[in-house]
Amino acid sequence: MNWLRPVTALIVGCATALVLFGAFYNRFSPRPEQGDPQLALQMIPVELLGGLLIGVLVYRVFGRKLADPTGSREDVHERMLMRFAFRRGGVVQLDRIENESPLDRMTARQLLHRWVQQGRAEETAPGEFRVLR
């Protein structure tokens, strides 16, 4: 899939330059009375620069997605665990997490132990935590 990154950036960059050419040709008017081909030809360096900038932007954004394809974000996991806890009166049992929530046991255990260290939760029994407000 690494070949897709430069190809996508090239296509987007060329498309941007072409759109800018059309915009200059029509003088940025949706319904021009007459096009201005001379202006569009004079602005080719600006159009190519715009295409290059957008192409580089797409290349960098696509590269970040390839570096972290899962897009794992801790804040999403924390919100899921917080909702799970408050739906059960603030009590979380590790045995029930896998069956009743999209979180896995390992992620929930790590989050809960971090919350205990931060003072946001307390362990009431082995495998059972009470989330503090």
Side-chain angles (χ1 to χ4, degrees), residues 19-90:
V19 166
L20 285 173
F21 181 84
F24 281 114
Y25 185 85
N26 291 327
R27 293 186 218 146
F28 293 96
S29 174
R31 294 186 181 163
E33 294 175 11
Q34 182 177 347
D36 191 359
Q38 190 63 31
L39 176 64
L41 291 174
Q42 288 176 350
M43 299 306 288
I44 284 180
V46 174
E47 297 156 3
L48 292 176
L49 181 63
L52 178 69
L53 291 175
I54 298 298
V56 168
L57 178 72
V58 167
Y59 186 82
R60 293 188 66 198
V61 168
F62 204 52
R64 275 191 232 128
K65 291 291 183 184
L66 285 175
D68 185 20
T70 61
S72 178
R73 293 179 31 193
E74 287 296 320
D75 60 334
V76 173
H77 294 220
E78 284 188 19
R79 285 193 309 249
M80 288 169 47
L81 186 58
M82 190 66 75
R83 282 187 195 139
F84 180 79
F86 285 123
R87 285 183 186 147
R88 279 141 189 85

Side-chain angles (χ1 to χ4, degrees), residues 1 3 6 15-16 30 35 40 46-50 52 57-58 62 67 71 93 95-96 101 108 112 115 118-119 132:
M1 279 302 217
W3 61 271
T16 301
V46 174
E47 297 156 3
L48 292 176
L49 181 63
L52 178 69
L57 178 72
V58 167
F62 204 52
Q93 296 173 343
D95 298 335
R96 299 177 70 188
S101 82
L112 286 167
W115 287 358
Q118 294 172 352
L132 307 173

